Each structure stands twice: as structure tokens, then as C-alpha cells.
Amino acid sequence: MTDSEAPPAKAPEGVSGAPALPRPVLEIASGYAFTGPALDLGALLWDGRCLPDVQIRIPLPMLNRHGLVAGATGTGKTKTLQLIAEQLSAQGVPVFLADVKGDVSGISAPGQENDKVRARAGEVRQEWTPAGFPCEFYALGGMGHGIPVRATITSFGPVLLAKVLQLNQTQEQSLGLIFHYADQKGLELVDLKDLRAVVTFLTSDEGKSELKGIGGLSTATAGVILRSLTAFEAQGMSPFFGEPEFDTSELSRVAGDGRGTVSVLELPAVQDKPQLFSTFLMWLLADLFHDLPEVGDVDKPKLVFFFDEAHLLFNDASKAFLDAITQTVRLIRSKGVGVFFVTQTPKDVPGDVLAQLGNRVQHALRAFTPDDQKALKSTVKTFPNSPYDLEEVLTALGTGEAVITVLSEKGAPTPVAATRLRAPESLMGPVDPAALDRAVEQSPLYGRYAEAVDRESAYEKLTAREAGAASSPASAAPSAPAEPASSRGRGRKGDDQDSSVVEQVVGSGVFKSLARSLGTQIGREITRSIFGTARRRR
């Protein structure tokens, strides 16, 4: 077969003087011969050979159709994320990466050429050039190296918080009732002590009547919630909740040179708290889902979000929780956001979610035990028909090799392709901690989020009310936004009577904070999403 007779663009003639390749190889080559912008993943593996003429790619517009990167530990998943993130950034697409092991920070620094890199680049016909990419580094609650990422309790919402606290369905419903009450009464749940104060008030003799009309709160359930909160705080979780709350629109920034910013959430300091960070990642995604406008199909994604250790999110999740994840993943595509779940096997991801993931990068699987064998067979069934013996191929892949199928420019699945992946051009390992700290402190976002703020919220209002009750037996339960923060230290009676209604509302701490961060209906009930997270106006 000559070049003129081969399929267009990427179809090979042969390799190293070999005769024309088999029809399945030509069909695979044709399936990846895209005409528009695409990310280059690597070169085809066939019958024990790497065929650099057959380049395996993924169309840039299809990155918001979501994906899965899976494989056993040590098979190269992290480097695959780095490779994809680099190319997205280079094409002006912001990226979010969760760095669980602490080895993704190297994406900010140029890679180091060595024999392995040169050999891999030569095998896959890659023009390898060392390059670093624009990065912002974050850390949950400021634990570790990074700009602190915090959420208020009210923004986090009862559904996600119930999962973090490991509450059952009844307890979750009761927690939702507590949030509903706090939303209505203008009691801002900023941090954990605010939530504890509201629960304690609602179970007191004075507060029990407040919830009778909408279901009540049993003493036993309140006790479980309070104990869970106490244990949660004892594990050092308090720093994750508070203000200033992180604005997730920061994740969609583009650097001055037009490259997309890579937002790296450093998680090594909290990798012993998997339930927390996996749920926090879901909060970030849910918050983006609320706030981004509908854009439909776009030439390139607005953001690509890599959700590492994805199985932790789905472990012990209720059906309602899984339904909410499925709906979020399904609908966020129309907002220009692509989500890649990263885990060990596809069976870690529920079927309804897996069905939404159009792009697949499957690294090697192990088959040492009966459970491994079962997982292998299940994984093979999730791929389209293929000329490969996938059970054999998936156990024989080396590090940095994967079986790939993506969506073509027309939205149809491409042929399954065993692939030797390219080498990342950035540093394949962590940067020096001192350099990382300097990068964090020099960020324009550092001054905005570094210092925690503890302003007047539910705890302070209920404490003040309790103190007032001692001198004023007729005081009623809170039914409207509490006294303005600006009026503390002044006589209550005269000030409240002399101020106009507008001055009272606009000057109140509740109005200011809720208008700024929660987008409420003037201090009244908060509009909440399918996850119960608070919807905010930017």
C-alpha cells in the first residue's frame, strides 16, 4: 500500500520496512485521524510493536464529554493526568488536578531530559521539549502547601456534610431540617461551632417548639449529630470550614500568555482523611455546576476537572447521593466542564455515572486473585468490540501504556487502541517544598484567602441571645436576621427604634455576608441545589 492509497492523514504504510499493516490497524488509524485540534496521547501498540505512524489522539471539543482514567497502582495514571493537563493548558484550557500523593506539583517546572525520556519520545515520535505550566497551588483548610480552600457550613450543605459525618438517612434528613431552620432565621452557619450552637438551641427547652411545625428534632438524633461533630473536630477538621470561602470561579482562570491555569489541590496532608477530601471535591464540582452559565457544545472546554481517588466518593453512598452525582455529571457538560474520574477499576464507578464517561484511558490491571479476575472481566465488558484480546492485553501492559477509546469529532466511540503514551514535558515528580511555598505566597490569591476570618454568625447571635434572655425573660426565639454587627456595643432599644427599616436591613451583618457569599433572598431562606449546597450569585 502506498501513501496515496492509505486512508487520510494518519494511516500508516508500514513500520521499519514491514509490509502493509493489517486491516484492523488501518481501521484504528483512520478512527483517530481527526482534522480539528486534538491532544496527542501516544502511539499505537500492535502485536508487540509500537507503531509511531499511528498516533492516538483525543479531539479537544470532546474533553467536556467526561472520561475515566483507571489502572492498578504504579501503572502510570498520574503521569497520564500530567500529560493531558499539559496539553490542555497549552491550548488555553484551565485544569483542576487533585494531588493526593504530592507528586503533581512538578507540572509547574520544566522536565529533566534523561535516557528514559529520550527513549520514550523516540518510540512514539514525540518532539519532547521541557516546559513548565502556569499553576496555582491550593490546600484544604490551609493544611499543607497551598492557598487555603475553605467552605462555609451553609454553602457545603446538609447532604455533603452528612456524608462527611457518616450519618444515616434519618440523621441526614434531620440535618437538612436544621439547615432549613437556620436558612429561614438568618442564622449563618459559617463554621462547625455555628452548627453545634443551632443544634443545641433546637434541642433546648426554649428551642424545641421552633421545629414542631415542620417535623421536630429528636433528642437522640440531635445527640448523634453533636457527637459526630465533636469527633469530626477532634480529628482536626475545623480549618476546612469557615471564611473567606473559596470562590470556585478561580479555577477557570487563564494566564497572561493565554495558557490555561493548572489548579493543583495539594492533598498529602489530608490523605488520611479520604472521606473529607473526596466530598470536598464534590462540593467544588457542585459549586461550579451552580454558577457557570450554559454554553452548550464549545470548541474547547471551559475547564477540565480531574477527580482523583473517585471510588472514595461512591463508597457507602446512598441512592439519592448517587443520583445527585449522576445528574451533576450529566448536566455540567453543557456548562463546558469536563470531568475525569481517576480510580483503579471501572467497577469503582457506578454504572449510571460510568455511562456518562465518553473517554477512556485504561492502564494495566492485576489478576492475582479471584476478585482481580472478576474485576478484569468486568472491565473488558465495558469496552466496545475490539480486535484485541483485552483480557490478555490489560494484564500485559507496561508502565505508561494504556488501552484507549475516546469520542470522535462526531461523538462516536473510536476503535479500541493499545497505546504507548507520550512523556510529560514538565517535571515528573514534586517540586522543592521551599519553591512551592514561594509560589503560593507570590500568588495574587494568597492575600485574599490566606487569613481566616471569624465574624458574627449563628454562634455569636445565639450566645448573645442567651445572654439577653437572662436579663429579658420575654425575648423570643430568633425569627429574623439578628442584630447588626455594627450595632454591637450600643443600646439596643434606642438604636433599633431610631434606625429606618432600610438601614437596619442593609447594615446588618446577616445581609452583608449573605449578599456577598450566599445569594439569599434578603436574609431569608437560601436557594439550594440538588446537593443541598447554597447557591451563590457571583
Side-chain angles (χ1 to χ4, degrees), residues 308-324:
D308 205 358
E309 300 292 342
H311 64 282
L312 298 170
L313 183 69
F314 303 113
N315 286 350
D316 303 319
S318 66
K319 184 180 185 303
F321 189 83
L322 293 177
D323 288 345

Side-chain angles (χ1 to χ4, degrees), residues 481-496:
E483 175 187 11
S486 59
S487 69
R488 278 180 288 174
R490 301 186 301 183
R492 291 191 178 202
K493 265 188 188 176
D495 290 329
D496 285 352

Side-chain angles (χ1 to χ4, degrees), residues 109-308:
Q112 298 175 348
E113 189 173 11
N114 54 42
D115 291 342
K116 286 186 178 180
V117 169
R118 281 191 292 270
R120 176 58 63 101
E123 290 167 352
V124 300
R125 197 168 294 168
Q126 174 186 7
E127 295 181 6
W128 189 89
T129 304
F133 295 82
C135 287
E136 290 284 2
F137 297 98
Y138 301 98
L140 286 186
M143 292 184 65
H145 303 277
I147 297 163
V149 174
R150 305 180 187 90
T152 61
I153 290 290
T154 199
S155 174
F156 205 73
V159 177
L160 294 175
L161 188 61
K163 182 165 177 59
V164 170
L165 297 176
Q166 299 181 356
L167 303 180
N168 64 27
Q169 184 177 357
T170 299
Q171 295 154 1
E172 178 184 322
Q173 291 170 348
S174 296
L175 187 62
L177 194 63
I178 294 165
F179 273 72
H180 176 72
Y181 173 80
D183 290 351
Q184 283 192 318
K185 302 302 181 181
L187 294 171
E188 298 167 83
L189 304 177
V190 173
D191 50 27
L192 291 173
K193 72 178 186 298
D194 290 324
L195 180 57
R196 191 190 310 105
V198 173
V199 176
T200 302
F201 169 75
L202 290 175
T203 54
S204 68
D205 291 340
E206 188 177 2
K208 284 179 181 177
S209 61
E210 288 291 294
L211 285 179
K212 280 185 179 178
I214 50 175
L217 178 67
S218 74
T219 303
T221 299
V224 171
I225 294 173
L226 287 172
R227 286 193 296 274
S228 298
L229 286 171
T230 300
F232 193 63
E233 286 183 286
Q235 296 170 28
M237 303 297 192
S238 294
F240 304 112
F241 297 99
E243 292 183 318
E245 182 172 68
F246 183 70
D247 185 341
T248 52
S249 66
E250 310 284 11
L251 303 179
S252 302
R253 295 164 63 227
V254 175
D257 60 4
R259 292 184 296 172
T261 298
V262 181
S263 299
V264 181
L265 183 64
E266 293 289 326
L267 294 172
V270 294
Q271 56 182 304
D272 60 337
K273 303 173 178 65
Q275 196 82 8
L276 175 71
F277 73 68
S278 65
T279 311
F280 230 99
L281 293 183
M282 196 65 235
W283 172 75
L284 290 173
L285 195 59
D287 199 67
L288 284 165
F289 174 67
H290 307 159
D291 297 327
L292 290 174
E294 294 280 340
V295 295
D297 290 325
V298 288
D299 293 336
K300 62 183 180 181
K302 300 296 184 182
L303 172 72
V304 175
F305 192 102
F306 289 93
F307 205 122
D308 205 358

Side-chain angles (χ1 to χ4, degrees), residues 66 289 294 326-335 530:
H66 310 319
F289 174 67
E294 294 280 340
T326 304
Q327 186 173 352
T328 301
V329 172
R330 181 184 296 120
L331 298 179
I332 203 170
R333 180 191 70 78
S334 65
K335 306 208 172 186
I530 54 177

